[in-house]
Coordinates of all heavy atoms in Angstrom, one line a residue:
M1 N 16.7 26.9 98.7 CA 16.7 26.0 97.6 C 16.9 24.6 98.1 O 17.8 24.4 98.9 CB 17.8 26.4 96.6 CG 17.4 26.2 95.2 SD 18.8 26.6 94.1 CE 18.6 28.4 94.1
P2 N 16.2 23.6 97.7 CA 16.4 22.3 98.3 C 17.6 21.6 97.7 O 18.1 21.9 96.6 CB 15.1 21.5 97.8 CG 14.7 22.2 96.6 CD 15.0 23.7 96.8
M3 N 18.2 20.8 98.5 CA 19.4 20.0 98.2 C 19.0 18.6 97.8 O 18.3 17.9 98.5 CB 20.4 20.0 99.3 CG 21.6 19.2 99.1 SD 23.0 20.3 98.6 CE 23.6 20.8 100.2
Y4 N 19.5 18.1 96.7 CA 19.3 16.8 96.2 C 20.6 16.0 96.2 O 21.6 16.5 95.9 CB 18.7 16.8 94.8 CG 17.3 17.4 94.8 CD1 17.2 18.7 94.3 CD2 16.2 16.8 95.3 CE1 15.9 19.3 94.2 CE2 15.0 17.4 95.3 CZ 14.8 18.7 94.7 OH 13.6 19.3 94.7
E5 N 20.4 14.7 96.6 CA 21.6 13.9 96.6 C 21.4 12.8 95.5 O 20.3 12.3 95.3 CB 21.8 13.1 97.9 CG 22.4 14.0 99.0 CD 22.7 13.2 100.2 OE1 23.3 12.2 100.1 OE2 22.3 13.7 101.3
Y6 N 22.5 12.6 94.8 CA 22.5 11.6 93.7 C 23.6 10.7 93.9 O 24.7 11.0 94.5 CB 22.7 12.3 92.3 CG 21.5 13.2 92.0 CD1 21.5 14.6 92.3 CD2 20.4 12.7 91.3 CE1 20.4 15.4 92.0 CE2 19.4 13.5 90.9 CZ 19.4 14.9 91.2 OH 18.3 15.7 90.9
R7 N 23.4 9.5 93.3 CA 24.5 8.5 93.3 C 24.6 7.9 91.9 O 23.6 7.6 91.3 CB 24.3 7.4 94.3 CG 25.4 6.4 94.3 CD 25.3 5.4 95.4 NE 24.0 4.7 95.4 CZ 23.4 4.2 96.4 NH1 23.9 4.4 97.6 NH2 22.3 3.6 96.3
C8 N 25.9 7.9 91.4 CA 26.1 7.3 90.1 C 25.9 5.8 90.2 O 26.5 5.1 91.1 CB 27.5 7.7 89.6 SG 27.9 6.9 88.1
T9 N 25.2 5.2 89.2 CA 25.0 3.8 89.2 C 26.2 3.1 88.6 O 26.3 1.9 88.6 CB 23.7 3.4 88.5 OG1 23.8 4.0 87.1 CG2 22.5 4.0 89.2
A10 N 27.1 3.9 87.9 CA 28.2 3.3 87.2 C 29.4 3.2 88.2 O 30.1 2.2 88.3 CB 28.5 4.0 86.0
C11 N 29.7 4.4 88.8 CA 31.0 4.4 89.6 C 30.7 4.7 91.1 O 31.6 4.8 91.9 CB 31.9 5.5 89.1 SG 31.4 7.2 89.4
N12 N 29.4 4.7 91.5 CA 29.0 4.9 92.8 C 29.4 6.3 93.4 O 29.4 6.4 94.6 CB 29.5 3.8 93.7 CG 28.7 2.6 93.6 OD1 27.5 2.6 93.4 ND2 29.3 1.4 93.7
H13 N 29.8 7.2 92.6 CA 30.1 8.5 93.1 C 28.9 9.2 93.6 O 27.9 9.2 92.9 CB 30.8 9.3 91.9 CG 31.0 10.8 92.3 ND1 31.8 11.2 93.3 CD2 30.5 11.9 91.7 CE1 31.8 12.5 93.4 NE2 31.0 13.0 92.4
E14 N 28.9 9.7 94.8 CA 27.8 10.5 95.3 C 28.1 11.9 95.3 O 29.2 12.4 95.6 CB 27.5 10.0 96.8 CG 27.1 8.5 96.8 CD 26.6 8.1 98.2 OE1 26.5 9.0 99.1 OE2 26.4 6.9 98.4
F15 N 27.0 12.7 95.0 CA 27.2 14.2 95.0 C 25.9 14.8 95.3 O 24.8 14.2 95.2 CB 27.7 14.6 93.6 CG 26.8 14.2 92.4 CD1 26.0 15.2 91.9 CD2 26.9 13.0 91.9 CE1 25.2 14.9 90.8 CE2 26.0 12.6 90.8 CZ 25.2 13.6 90.3
E16 N 26.0 16.1 95.6 CA 24.8 16.8 96.0 C 24.6 18.0 95.0 O 25.5 18.6 94.5 CB 24.9 17.4 97.4 CG 24.9 16.3 98.5 CD 25.2 16.9 99.8 OE1 25.8 18.0 99.9 OE2 24.8 16.3 100.8
L17 N 23.3 18.3 94.8 CA 23.0 19.4 93.9 C 22.0 20.3 94.6 O 21.0 19.8 95.1 CB 22.5 18.9 92.6 CG 23.5 18.5 91.5 CD1 22.7 18.1 90.3 CD2 24.5 19.6 91.2
R18 N 22.2 21.6 94.5 CA 21.1 22.5 94.9 C 20.3 22.9 93.7 O 20.9 23.4 92.7 CB 21.7 23.8 95.5 CG 21.8 23.7 97.0 CD 22.3 25.0 97.6 NE 23.2 24.8 98.7 CZ 22.7 24.6 99.9 NH1 21.5 24.6 100.1 NH2 23.6 24.4 100.9
Q19 N 19.0 22.5 93.7 CA 18.2 22.8 92.5 C 16.9 23.5 92.9 O 16.4 23.2 94.0 CB 17.9 21.5 91.8 CG 19.2 20.8 91.3 CD 18.8 19.5 90.6 OE1 18.2 18.6 91.1 NE2 19.1 19.4 89.3
K20 N 16.4 24.2 92.0 CA 15.1 24.7 92.2 C 14.1 23.6 91.9 O 14.5 22.6 91.2 CB 14.8 25.8 91.2 CG 15.6 27.1 91.4 CD 15.2 28.1 90.3 CE 16.5 28.8 89.8 NZ 16.2 29.5 88.6
F21 N 12.9 23.7 92.4 CA 11.9 22.7 92.2 C 11.6 22.5 90.7 O 11.2 21.5 90.2 CB 10.6 23.1 92.9 CG 10.7 22.8 94.4 CD1 10.7 23.9 95.3 CD2 10.8 21.5 94.9 CE1 10.8 23.6 96.6 CE2 10.9 21.3 96.2 CZ 10.8 22.3 97.1
S22 N 11.8 23.6 90.0 CA 11.5 23.6 88.5 C 12.6 23.0 87.7 O 12.5 22.7 86.5 CB 11.2 25.0 88.1 OG 12.2 25.9 88.4
D23 N 13.8 22.9 88.3 CA 14.9 22.4 87.5 C 14.8 20.9 87.3 O 14.2 20.1 88.1 CB 16.2 22.5 88.3 CG 16.8 24.0 88.2 OD1 16.2 24.7 87.4 OD2 17.6 24.3 89.0
P24 N 15.2 20.4 86.1 CA 15.1 19.0 85.8 C 16.2 18.2 86.7 O 17.2 18.8 87.0 CB 15.5 18.9 84.3 CG 16.3 20.1 84.0 CD 15.8 21.2 85.0
P25 N 15.9 17.0 87.1 CA 16.8 16.3 87.9 C 18.1 15.9 87.1 O 18.1 15.9 85.9 CB 16.0 15.0 88.3 CG 15.0 14.9 87.2 CD 14.6 16.3 86.8
A26 N 19.2 15.8 87.8 CA 20.4 15.4 87.2 C 20.3 14.0 86.6 O 19.7 13.1 87.1 CB 21.6 15.5 88.2
K27 N 21.0 13.9 85.5 CA 20.9 12.5 84.8 C 22.3 11.9 84.6 O 22.4 10.7 84.4 CB 20.2 12.7 83.4 CG 18.8 12.9 83.5 CD 18.1 12.9 82.1 CE 16.6 13.2 82.2 NZ 16.2 14.0 81.2
E28 N 23.3 12.8 84.7 CA 24.6 12.3 84.4 C 25.5 12.5 85.6 O 25.5 13.5 86.3 CB 25.2 13.0 83.2 CG 24.6 12.5 81.9 CD 25.4 13.1 80.7 OE1 26.3 13.9 80.9 OE2 25.0 12.8 79.6
C29 N 26.4 11.5 85.8 CA 27.4 11.7 86.8 C 28.5 12.7 86.3 O 28.9 12.7 85.2 CB 28.1 10.3 87.0 SG 29.6 10.3 88.0
P30 N 28.8 13.6 87.2 CA 29.8 14.6 86.8 C 31.2 14.0 86.6 O 32.1 14.7 86.0 CB 29.8 15.6 88.0 CG 29.3 14.9 89.1 CD 28.3 13.9 88.6
K31 N 31.4 12.9 87.1 CA 32.8 12.2 86.9 C 32.9 11.4 85.7 O 33.8 11.5 84.9 CB 33.1 11.3 88.1 CG 33.6 12.1 89.3 CD 34.0 11.1 90.4 CE 35.1 11.6 91.3 NZ 35.6 10.6 92.2
C32 N 31.9 10.5 85.5 CA 32.0 9.5 84.4 C 30.8 9.6 83.4 O 30.8 8.9 82.5 CB 32.1 8.1 85.0 SG 30.5 7.5 85.6
A33 N 29.9 10.6 83.7 CA 28.8 10.8 82.8 C 27.8 9.5 82.7 O 27.1 9.4 81.8 CB 29.2 11.2 81.4
G34 N 28.0 8.7 83.8 CA 27.1 7.5 83.9 C 25.7 8.0 84.4 O 25.5 9.1 84.8
A35 N 24.8 7.0 84.4 CA 23.5 7.3 84.9 C 23.5 7.5 86.4 O 24.2 6.8 87.1 CB 22.5 6.2 84.5
V36 N 22.7 8.4 86.9 CA 22.6 8.6 88.3 C 21.2 8.4 88.8 O 20.2 8.5 88.1 CB 23.0 10.0 88.7 CG1 24.5 10.3 88.3 CG2 22.1 11.1 88.1
E37 N 21.1 8.0 90.1 CA 19.8 7.9 90.8 C 19.7 8.9 91.9 O 20.7 9.2 92.5 CB 19.6 6.4 91.2 CG 20.6 6.0 92.3 CD 20.4 4.6 92.7 OE1 19.6 3.9 92.1 OE2 21.1 4.1 93.6
K38 N 18.5 9.3 92.2 CA 18.3 10.3 93.2 C 18.2 9.6 94.5 O 17.5 8.6 94.7 CB 17.0 11.1 92.9 CG 16.9 12.3 93.8 CD 15.6 13.0 93.6 CE 15.6 14.1 92.5 NZ 14.4 14.8 92.5
L39 N 18.9 10.1 95.5 CA 18.8 9.6 96.9 C 17.9 10.4 97.7 O 17.8 11.6 97.6 CB 20.2 9.5 97.5 CG 21.3 8.8 96.8 CD1 22.6 8.9 97.6 CD2 20.9 7.3 96.7
I40 N 17.1 9.8 98.6 CA 16.3 10.5 99.5 C 17.1 10.7 100.8 O 17.4 9.7 101.5 CB 15.0 9.7 99.8 CG1 14.3 9.4 98.5 CG2 14.1 10.5 100.8 CD1 13.9 10.6 97.8
S41 N 17.4 11.9 101.1 CA 18.2 12.1 102.3 C 17.5 12.9 103.3 O 17.0 14.0 103.1 CB 19.5 12.9 101.9 OG 20.2 13.3 103.1
S42 N 17.2 12.3 104.5 CA 16.5 13.0 105.5 C 17.4 14.0 106.2 O 16.9 15.0 106.8 CB 16.0 12.0 106.5 OG 17.0 11.2 107.0
A43 N 18.7 13.8 106.1 CA 19.6 14.7 106.8 C 19.7 16.1 106.1 O 19.7 17.1 106.8 CB 21.0 14.1 106.8
S44 N 19.8 16.1 104.8 CA 19.9 17.4 104.1 C 18.6 17.9 103.7 O 18.5 19.0 103.1 CB 20.9 17.2 103.0 OG 20.4 16.2 102.1
F45 N 17.5 17.2 103.9 CA 16.2 17.7 103.5 C 15.2 17.6 104.6 O 14.2 17.1 104.5 CB 15.7 16.8 102.3 CG 14.8 17.6 101.4 CD1 14.9 17.5 100.0 CD2 13.8 18.4 101.9 CE1 14.1 18.3 99.2 CE2 12.9 19.1 101.1 CZ 13.1 19.0 99.7
A46 N 15.6 18.2 105.8 CA 14.8 18.1 106.9 C 13.7 19.2 106.9 O 14.0 20.4 107.0 CB 15.6 18.3 108.2
L47 N 12.5 18.8 106.7 CA 11.4 19.8 106.5 C 10.8 20.1 107.9 O 10.2 21.2 108.1 CB 10.3 19.3 105.6 CG 10.7 19.3 104.1 CD1 9.6 18.7 103.3 CD2 10.9 20.8 103.7
K48 N 10.9 19.2 108.8 CA 10.4 19.5 110.2 C 11.4 19.2 111.2 O 12.4 18.5 110.9 CB 9.1 18.7 110.4 CG 9.1 17.3 109.8 CD 7.7 16.7 109.9 CE 7.4 15.6 109.0 NZ 6.1 15.1 109.0
G49 N 11.2 19.6 112.4 CA 12.2 19.4 113.4 C 13.2 20.6 113.4 O 13.0 21.6 112.8
G50 N 14.3 20.4 114.1 CA 15.2 21.5 114.3 C 16.2 21.6 113.2 O 15.9 21.1 112.1
G51 N 17.3 22.2 113.4 CA 18.3 22.3 112.4 C 18.2 23.7 111.7 O 17.4 24.5 112.1
W52 N 19.1 23.9 110.7 CA 19.2 25.2 110.1 C 17.9 25.6 109.4 O 17.7 26.7 109.2 CB 20.4 25.1 109.1 CG 20.2 24.1 108.1 CD1 20.6 22.8 108.1 CD2 19.5 24.2 106.8 NE1 20.2 22.1 107.0 CE2 19.5 23.0 106.2 CE3 18.9 25.3 106.2 CZ2 19.0 22.8 104.9 CZ3 18.3 25.0 104.9 CH2 18.3 23.8 104.3
Y53 N 17.1 24.6 109.1 CA 15.9 24.9 108.3 C 15.0 25.9 109.1 O 14.3 26.7 108.5 CB 15.2 23.7 108.0 CG 14.7 23.6 106.6 CD1 15.5 23.2 105.5 CD2 13.4 24.1 106.2 CE1 15.0 23.2 104.2 CE2 12.9 24.1 104.9 CZ 13.8 23.6 103.9 OH 13.3 23.6 102.6
D54 N 15.1 25.8 110.4 CA 14.2 26.6 111.2 C 14.6 28.1 111.2 O 13.8 29.0 111.5 CB 14.2 26.1 112.6 CG 13.2 24.9 112.8 OD1 12.5 24.6 111.8 OD2 13.2 24.3 113.9
Q55 N 15.9 28.3 110.9 CA 16.4 29.7 111.0 C 15.7 30.7 110.2 O 15.3 31.8 110.6 CB 17.9 29.7 110.7 CG 18.7 28.8 111.6 CD 18.6 29.1 113.0 OE1 18.6 30.3 113.4 NE2 18.4 28.1 113.9
G56 N 15.5 30.4 108.9 CA 14.9 31.4 108.0 C 13.5 31.0 107.5 O 13.0 31.7 106.6
Y57 N 13.0 30.0 108.0 CA 11.7 29.5 107.5 C 10.6 29.6 108.6 O 10.8 29.3 109.7 CB 11.9 28.0 107.2 CG 11.6 27.7 105.7 CD1 12.5 28.0 104.7 CD2 10.4 27.2 105.3 CE1 12.3 27.7 103.4 CE2 10.1 27.0 104.0 CZ 11.1 27.2 103.0 OH 10.8 27.0 101.7
S58 N 9.5 30.1 108.2 CA 8.4 30.2 109.1 C 7.7 28.8 109.1 O 7.2 28.3 108.1 CB 7.4 31.2 108.8 OG 7.6 31.7 107.5
G59 N 7.8 28.2 110.3 CA 7.2 26.9 110.4 C 6.2 26.9 111.5 O 5.9 28.0 112.0
P60 N 5.6 25.8 111.9 CA 4.7 25.7 113.0 C 5.2 26.3 114.3 O 4.5 26.9 115.1 CB 4.3 24.3 113.2 CG 4.8 23.6 111.9 CD 5.9 24.5 111.3
G61 N 6.5 26.1 114.5 CA 7.1 26.5 115.8 C 7.3 28.0 115.9 O 7.7 28.5 117.0
K62 N 7.2 28.7 114.8 CA 7.5 30.1 114.9 C 6.4 30.9 115.6 O 6.6 32.0 115.9 CB 7.6 30.6 113.4 CG 8.5 31.8 113.3 CD 9.6 31.6 112.4 CE 10.7 32.7 112.6 NZ 11.5 33.0 111.5
E63 N 5.2 30.3 115.7 CA 4.1 31.0 116.4 C 4.5 31.2 117.9 O 4.1 32.2 118.5 CB 2.8 30.2 116.3 CG 2.5 29.8 114.9 CD 2.0 31.1 114.1 OE1 2.8 31.8 113.5 OE2 0.8 31.4 114.1
K64 N 5.1 30.3 118.5 CA 5.4 30.4 119.9 C 6.6 31.3 120.1 O 7.5 31.4 119.2 CB 5.8 29.0 120.5 CG 4.6 28.0 120.5 CD 5.0 26.7 121.2 CE 6.0 25.9 120.3 NZ 6.3 24.7 120.9
A65 N 6.7 32.0 121.2 CA 7.8 32.8 121.5 C 9.0 31.9 121.8 O 8.8 30.9 122.5 CB 7.5 33.7 122.7
P66 N 10.1 32.2 121.2 CA 11.3 31.4 121.5 C 11.7 31.6 122.9 O 11.6 32.7 123.4 CB 12.3 31.9 120.5 CG 11.9 33.3 120.2 CD 10.4 33.3 120.3
S67 N 12.2 30.6 123.6 CA 12.7 30.8 124.9 C 14.0 31.6 124.9 O 14.9 31.4 124.1 CB 13.0 29.4 125.6 OG 13.8 28.6 124.8
C68 N 14.0 32.6 125.7 CA 15.2 33.5 125.8 C 16.4 32.7 126.3 O 16.4 32.1 127.3 CB 14.9 34.7 126.7 SG 16.2 35.9 126.7
P69 N 17.5 32.8 125.5 CA 18.7 32.1 126.0 C 19.3 32.7 127.2 O 20.1 32.1 128.0 CB 19.7 32.3 124.8 CG 19.1 33.4 124.0 CD 17.7 33.4 124.2
A70 N 19.0 34.0 127.5 CA 19.6 34.7 128.7 C 18.8 34.3 129.9 O 19.4 34.0 131.0 CB 19.5 36.2 128.5
T71 N 17.5 34.3 129.9 CA 16.8 34.0 131.1 C 16.1 32.6 131.1 O 15.7 32.2 132.2 CB 15.6 35.0 131.2 OG1 14.7 34.8 130.1 CG2 16.1 36.5 131.1
G72 N 16.1 31.9 130.0 CA 15.5 30.6 130.0 C 14.0 30.7 129.8 O 13.4 29.7 129.6
G73 N 13.5 31.9 129.9 CA 12.0 32.1 129.7 C 11.8 33.3 128.9 O 12.0 33.3 127.7
G74 N 11.3 34.3 129.5 CA 11.1 35.6 128.8 C 12.1 36.6 129.3 O 12.8 36.4 130.3
G75 N 12.2 37.7 128.6 CA 13.0 38.8 129.1 C 13.8 39.5 128.1 O 14.2 40.7 128.3
C76 N 14.1 38.9 127.0 CA 14.9 39.6 126.0 C 13.9 40.5 125.1 O 12.7 40.4 125.2 CB 15.7 38.6 125.1 SG 14.6 37.6 124.1
A77 N 14.5 41.2 124.2 CA 13.7 42.2 123.4 C 12.7 41.4 122.5 O 11.7 41.9 122.2 CB 14.6 43.0 122.5
G78 N 13.0 40.1 122.2 CA 12.2 39.4 121.3 C 11.0 38.7 122.1 O 10.1 38.1 121.5
C79 N 11.1 38.7 123.4 CA 10.1 38.0 124.2 C 8.9 38.9 124.5 O 9.1 40.1 124.8 CB 10.7 37.5 125.5 SG 12.1 36.4 125.3
P80 N 7.7 38.4 124.3 CA 6.5 39.3 124.6 C 6.4 39.6 126.0 O 5.8 40.6 126.4 CB 5.4 38.4 124.1 CG 5.9 37.0 124.1 CD 7.4 37.1 123.9
S81 N 7.0 38.9 126.9 CA 6.8 39.1 128.3 C 8.0 39.9 128.9 O 8.4 39.8 130.0 CB 6.7 37.9 129.1 OG 7.8 37.0 128.9
A82 N 8.7 40.6 128.0 CA 9.9 41.4 128.4 C 9.5 42.4 129.5 O 8.6 43.2 129.3 CB 10.5 42.1 127.2
A83 N 10.3 42.5 130.5 CA 10.0 43.4 131.6 C 11.0 44.6 131.6 O 12.2 44.3 131.4 CB 10.1 42.7 133.0
Ligands
ZN101 ZN1 30.0 8.0 87.8

């Protein structure tokens, strides 16, 4: 589920919400019920590159065999060149 960041335009309170794509965006500040604006955060919404997102998501990098942490190359059960 993607994480969205919002900031209240009244009290500047910043908060994050995990929402489905189908959920309507937040409109009210949970603190003061003021109007909020959505922030674009590259940190919590990293679609490419490293980070936790790669753990459970099939991305372009998943096609390649991961380098084995034990041998630095191949050799573990997950490596195609395991000997
Ligand atoms: Zn507020």
Side-chain angles (χ1 to χ4, degrees):
M1 220 181 282
M3 178 99 86
Y4 296 103
E5 282 188 48
Y6 294 90
R7 180 170 57 210
C8 175
T9 57
C11 72
N12 281 329
H13 172 59
E14 293 187 12
F15 60 101
E16 294 176 335
L17 278 182
R18 265 184 216 281
Q19 296 182 300
K20 295 181 223 165
F21 283 111
S22 53
D23 281 347
K27 286 186 181 138
E28 286 189 355
C29 170
K31 277 186 153 185
C32 73
V36 298
E37 60 183 9
K38 191 186 271 188
L39 302 178
I40 306 298
S41 170
S42 55
S44 59
F45 207 134
L47 284 175
K48 33 190 164 185
W52 58 270
Y53 222 87
D54 280 354
Q55 300 303 315
Y57 239 80
S58 14
K62 207 122 195 210
E63 305 290 89
K64 295 186 292 183
S67 53
C68 180
T71 65
C76 66
C79 300
S81 59

